[in-house]
Amino acid sequence: MASKSEKKYRQIKRAHIGVSIFEFCLFMIASTIMLVCAVQQTTLYVMDTKLSSEYERISALARLYDKARDADDAAIYGLLDDEDCDYIVTDKAGRVVRQKGSNTCGSESGRVLLTAEGKWITAYRDTERDYIFPSKNERIGLDIIRFREWLSSEEDEEEKELDLDSPRERFINLPIWLSVDVAGGEEHFIGKAVFSANRRDVFMITSFIVGIIALIIIILITMLVSAIRSVLRQRRMISLYFSDIVTGGHNWTWFLVMGERFLRKRRNAKYSFAVVSYVMVNYRNYCLCHSLAEGEKLLCNIYNRICASIDGKEMCAHATSADFALLLKYESEQELKERLQRLTEELSVISEDHIFSFQAGVSLLNRDKGRDGSPAGYRETDLDTEYNNAASARMTLADSEDSGIAFFDEALKKEQEWLDTVQERQRRALDNEEFMVYYQPKYDPKTDTLKGAEALIRWNSPEFGLVPPGRFIPIFEKNGFITKIDHYMIRHVAADQKRWLDKGYKCVPVSVNVSRAHFIESNLAEQIRDMVDEAGAPHELIEIELTESAFFDDKKAIIDTINKLKDYGFSVSMDDFGSGYSSLNSLKDMPLDVLKLDAEFFRGGSGDGRGEIVVSEAIRLGKLLNMQIVAEGVEAREQVDFLAGQDCDMIQGYYYAKPMPGNEYMERLKNC
Ligand code: C2E
Ligand code: CA
Ligand code: CA
């Protein structure tokens, strides 16, 4: 499938050449028609003029004959016979009543239109030359072939060499007998006219034709010059279309169009090819600290260095911002990796006062399959998709600012497809209430009684079944949909609590996770209060869990929200304590009610008691700060006993219960 860029490129190419070829064809057709018409009209004109003047001559003699006959004057007859013209006079019956010279007038006659005079005359063939012209009842028309035959059939070559003015020197000297009515129509004066063409006539026709041909040539040359200009303009446009303003080199469009063309030609390439998305990390920061101009200068240097490091069978283009698109050949994945590492090492010190990082995403191109299934060329390769794959692989490194290389593989592809699917379905899933609230109970380890629960989301998808939150919550956190989920959960939990209370169950507080993204909303506490009030649940039965990482955002705003929530009667907990960066500092500033020890505290362990020391000290610290302690991820009885001994308030873990649907949790409530 031709990409948009390829189509545009073809359009640019066609736009100029196309018009020139069309113009040229049109012009050639018009010129040919013009030439044919010109030759026809000139020849017709010359022939018509010739015949008219001969008819005039014969008519004058006929008038002289009329005069001599009327006066029966021998002197006038003498004058007539002195004229250089053979003639016969016939009566109505066709008998010759007077004759001068030999009578070679044939019996066959024709009608000829004298265009100049607009009249028809009768003409007879000459029996001596036996030239059939004009044929019966035919208007004088053009017949170039016949005209040329006249020229070539000229009997005496020598005649052509003679003086122009003499009648004998004509190229063509065709006798034709023209009839004029005399004696009031009683007789016909038939004079022997000469239909002739001399050099002057031929010269005139030839000059006219040559003139027209010259005109055509001039127009042709003009067209040629304009076509050359078009080609030059087209080249300039293509070069603009493919050039990158920042680096002065090739741009992304060039990479796409030329890359695919290049790959199509690599039918039996010895090498394999890979598309690389190569990015300078923190380019925007560099521009902020220096200037945009400096940044662009740097990009230009990077581009030139990359170009210098590739050979003629490889490609490099500046894609966008600090991204470069590379098409590299390789023999093995390892060799390609080492090569990119070397390039990064070289580029990291491209400027004296800076160390730069570069991240590369690589998509190894799959060869097409030949008819017999053997690997063939790269005709099917869609560079746009491949670059997108490479960029996706590169994005997996985006959380870090260090240099690195990531290869695109099937797992990543599946992950991307999943991401796409989730984003596509999220809205509908929410509207259709496909998200379900599961409850994981929290138990007092000393008495084994139910003390609370955490609400955990599940996606009951008609397509994919029960999807755990780890598969979609991180996606929602990135795309912002998480705020809608948080609202959804609070509303449902509050509604459940209210329903269970109404049924007379002894409800315990349920904690709901509120994501970090949500905490930037200044009226979050009010939103939560309103939602819970709407459901009619008491505030003390709802606890808000904040994950540890949330405390690194705007501290003051978070403290404000926590205080407001507490004022409204909600308790607030710090989730996953101890899992990430040091949160001790947060404990100092945040007036929290509950500390949830991360499940990591209870996994593995060295067996030398160090874990227990950390846990017991964390519990002590929480207690000193007037917080309730919840231990998460507890699976074994020994852990429960240990935590009970340390005065841990609650345990949330598989030892007691896994997260369960609302109705199952309700059964537990009933029994407590
Ligand atoms: P979390 O808030 O730390 O939730 C506790 C997770 O630990 C739950 O996983 C729970 O099933 C699991 N867990 C509890 N006890 C044990 C145990 O003894 N052993 C083991 N192996 N696991 C245990 P879950 O339900 O898959 O949730 C994963 C994470 O997804 C949650 O971690 C939370 O960060 C997020 N999440 C779940 N529901 C929501 C929600 O409604 N809103 C938001 N914003 N995030 C949610
Ligand atoms: Ca939680
Ligand atoms: Ca947790």
Side-chain angles (χ1 to χ4, degrees):
M1 187 188 69
S3 65
K4 277 186 193 164
S5 318
E6 170 80 30
K7 277 187 196 154
K8 191 90 203 153
Y9 170 64
R10 283 197 211 144
Q11 256 175 23
I12 295 176
K13 279 194 98 176
R14 257 200 315 257
H16 299 277
I17 294 285
V19 168
S20 309
I21 290 172
F22 178 71
E23 277 174 358
F24 182 77
C25 292
L26 209 67
F27 176 73
M28 286 318 280
I29 294 169
S31 316
T32 313
I33 294 172
M34 210 163 85
L35 197 65
V36 168
C37 288
V39 171
Q40 183 181 26
Q41 289 306 313
T42 326
T43 314
L44 185 64
Y45 174 75
V46 170
M47 290 162 81
D48 203 40
T49 319
K50 294 268 149 190
L51 209 61
S52 284
S53 77
E54 278 304 282
Y55 181 71
E56 267 311 307
R57 195 163 68 88
I58 302 296
S59 296
L61 292 178
R63 281 195 298 277
L64 200 60
Y65 168 76
D66 247 352
K67 214 181 253 176
R69 186 179 178 278
D70 287 349
D72 197 17
D73 188 334
I76 305 177
Y77 278 128
L79 276 177
L80 181 66
D81 290 342
D82 282 349
E83 287 294 324
D84 181 19
C85 178
D86 291 349
Y87 68 87
I88 55 169
V89 180
T90 58
D91 61 12
K92 271 195 161 169
R95 280 190 301 271
V96 177
V97 292
R98 190 175 173 83
Q99 173 176 357
K100 183 205 161 197
S102 52
N103 179 4
T104 54
C105 178
S107 56
E108 208 177 302
S109 72
R111 303 265 297 159
V112 182
L113 176 71
L114 291 182
T115 318
E117 294 178 25
K119 75 161 114 166
W120 288 92
I121 56 166
T122 309
Y124 296 85
R125 66 148 64 180
D126 184 81
T127 51
E128 197 178 35
R129 283 293 297 271
D130 202 22
Y131 178 72
I132 308 163
F133 175 81
S135 58
K136 227 177 198 173
N137 295 328
E138 194 184 23
R139 185 178 180 272
I140 293 179
L142 171 76
D143 190 336
I144 295 178
I145 300 166
R146 218 189 278 170
F147 189 73
R148 281 174 59 199
E149 277 170 13
W150 298 348
L151 292 171
S152 57
S153 71
E154 183 54 49
E155 53 197 22
D156 193 353
E157 274 295 313
E158 274 173 33
E159 267 187 318
K160 289 182 183 173
E161 303 298 325
L162 300 176
D163 183 10
L164 267 173
D165 290 335
S166 158
R168 293 195 65 237
E169 293 155 15
R170 293 158 184 155
F171 278 152
I172 306 164
N173 218 359
L174 300 171
I176 178 166
W177 294 81
L178 302 178
S179 170
V180 180
D181 287 352
V182 286
E186 292 298 311
E187 291 177 358
H188 306 295
F189 183 91
I190 307 170
K192 187 180 181 183
V194 180
F195 183 78
S196 65
N198 59 23
R199 279 169 191 244
R200 198 176 288 142
D201 301 324
V202 174
F203 180 72
M204 194 189 120
I205 296 172
T206 318
S207 323
F208 193 72
I209 293 170
V210 167
I212 288 180
I213 291 176
L215 193 73
I216 291 172
I217 289 173
I218 289 169
I219 298 175
L220 256 179
I221 290 172
T222 318
M223 283 181 70
L224 201 72
V225 170
S226 114
I228 291 170
R229 276 219 197 117
S230 294
V231 170
L232 292 178
R233 209 167 40 230
Q234 181 210 61
R235 291 222 172 133
R236 248 196 328 268
M237 286 221 22
I238 290 174
S239 114
L240 271 177
Y241 186 59
F242 283 152
S243 78
D244 176 57
I245 322 166
V246 178
T247 59
H250 291 124
N251 63 11
W252 166 245
T253 315
W254 173 83
F255 183 80
L256 223 54
V257 176
M258 292 304 162
E260 282 186 5
R261 286 174 172 231
F262 169 83
L263 284 172
R264 256 178 259 141
K265 287 185 202 148
R266 307 266 97 66
R267 253 181 232 143
N268 299 310
K270 269 189 279 167
Y271 302 104
S272 300
F273 286 91
V275 170
V276 181
S277 162
Y278 195 75
V279 176
M280 176 193 159
V281 179
N282 267 338
Y283 169 67
R284 292 280 158 222
N285 270 359
Y286 182 85
C287 291
L288 270 178
C289 299
H290 296 77
S291 67
L292 196 60
E294 280 293 309
E296 291 190 345
K297 209 165 114 190
L298 180 69
L299 288 183
C300 197
N301 287 342
I302 294 171
Y303 175 77
N304 291 336
R305 283 281 183 95
I306 298 176
C307 284
S309 78
I310 61 174
D311 73 16
K313 289 196 173 68
E314 297 176 318
M315 298 174 78
C316 169
H318 178 223
T320 53
S321 187
D323 303 17
F324 296 90
L326 276 64
L327 179 65
L328 301 179
K329 56 184 199 204
Y330 72 95
E331 277 174 21
S332 74
E333 224 175 292
Q334 186 55 28
E335 173 253 345
L336 179 65
K337 200 170 168 180
E338 284 167 12
R339 187 178 165 195
L340 286 168
Q341 275 164 349
R342 278 199 304 279
L343 180 67
T344 299
E345 271 167 36
E346 191 192 320
L347 289 175
S348 62
V349 289
I350 194 164
S351 162
E352 281 168 5
D353 49 356
H354 248 88
I355 302 271
F356 297 103
S357 301
F358 291 86
Q359 292 176 343
V362 185
S363 173
L364 305 174
L365 302 189
N366 290 322
R367 283 175 191 260
D368 307 338
K369 289 254 180 311
R371 275 203 201 118
D372 54 353
S374 60
Y378 294 92
R379 289 190 74 81
E380 310 283 308
T381 303
D382 176 5
L383 264 193
D384 209 356
T385 308
E386 295 298 340
Y387 185 79
N388 192 46
N389 292 345
S392 306
R394 199 229 325 131
M395 286 300 287
T396 60
L397 308 169
D399 288 340
S400 151
E401 295 191 351
D402 299 334
S403 293
I405 301 169
F407 283 76
F408 181 81
D409 57 13
E410 274 311 303
L412 194 59
K413 190 174 173 190
K414 285 219 171 79
E415 204 47 49
Q416 259 185 346
E417 283 167 359
W418 173 248
L419 184 118
D420 221 48
T421 311
V422 171
Q423 310 219 85
E424 218 176 271
R425 311 274 198 291
Q426 58 188 35
R427 187 73 251 180
R428 206 175 56 207
L430 192 79
D431 293 346
N432 295 348
E433 302 248 323
E434 288 172 20
F435 295 110
M436 294 170 64
V437 185
Y438 269 47
Y439 291 88
Q440 186 175 28
K442 296 171 191 165
Y443 279 86
D444 180 340
K446 286 180 215 123
T447 59
D448 287 347
T449 50
L450 184 69
K451 278 289 179 64
E454 179 177 4
L456 294 159
I457 195 167
R458 298 290 181 268
W459 179 12
N460 190 12
S461 159
E463 256 172 288
F464 312 108
L466 206 62
V467 187
R471 297 281 289 136
F472 57 90
I473 289 287
I475 299 173
F476 293 163
E477 272 171 348
K478 274 199 182 128
N479 69 17
F481 195 68
I482 193 70
T483 54
K484 297 228 162 22
I485 292 291
D486 288 350
H487 283 169
Y488 180 94
M489 291 295 282
I490 292 168
R491 272 203 200 96
H492 278 75
V493 169
D496 282 351
Q497 291 280 55
K498 167 80 173 121
R499 205 175 59 247
W500 294 328
L501 269 183
D502 289 349
K503 285 187 173 172
Y505 304 145
K506 203 166 149 256
C507 287
V508 289
V510 172
S511 59
V512 186
N513 294 282
V514 172
S515 86
R516 177 182 179 168
H518 221 140
F519 256 69
I520 47 168
E521 288 178 22
S522 58
N523 62 345
L524 177 68
E526 285 81 2
Q527 285 179 27
I528 293 174
R529 180 199 60 196
D530 294 348
M531 282 186 285
V532 175
D533 286 349
E534 206 176 302
H539 294 186
E540 62 274 12
L541 287 185
I542 304 291
E543 181 183 314
I544 302 299
E545 284 194 20
L546 301 180
T547 179
E548 194 191 64
S549 57
F551 300 100
F552 292 97
D553 292 328
D554 185 351
K555 219 174 222 174
K556 192 180 167 305
I558 292 171
I559 294 173
D560 279 356
T561 306
I562 293 172
N563 281 331
K564 271 198 251 173
L565 284 168
K566 289 181 65 162
D567 287 349
Y568 295 143
F570 301 106
S571 48
V572 186
S573 57
M574 180 191 274
D575 198 3
D576 302 337
F577 177 76
S579 66
Y581 302 95
S582 164
S583 42
L584 287 176
N585 214 20
S586 313
L587 281 186
K588 174 173 71 85
D589 302 315
M590 311 282 171
L592 297 157
D593 304 296
V594 182
L595 191 66
K596 292 190 79 177
L597 301 183
D598 192 69
E600 272 308 308
F601 283 118
F602 310 101
R603 293 227 175 96
S606 55
D608 57 2
R610 295 173 73 91
E612 284 78 2
I613 295 171
V614 174
V615 170
S616 64
E617 287 308 307
I619 294 173
R620 214 162 69 86
L621 179 69
K623 290 271 161 193
L624 285 174
L625 292 169
N626 278 333
M627 298 169 89
Q628 279 201 309
I629 312 296
V630 178
E632 279 190 298
V634 175
E635 296 183 359
R637 181 71 229 178
E638 310 84 73
Q639 291 170 329
V640 175
D641 292 340
F642 168 73
L643 288 163
Q646 297 304 313
D647 212 13
C648 177
D649 299 288
M650 280 174 262
I651 284 179
Q652 177 189 344
Y654 288 179
Y655 174 77
Y656 284 111
K658 287 189 172 178
M660 57 189 73
N663 49 0
E664 249 179 69
Y665 171 70
M666 191 182 73
E667 291 303 316
R668 292 205 179 208
L669 269 186
K670 258 195 222 171
N671 302 330
C672 69

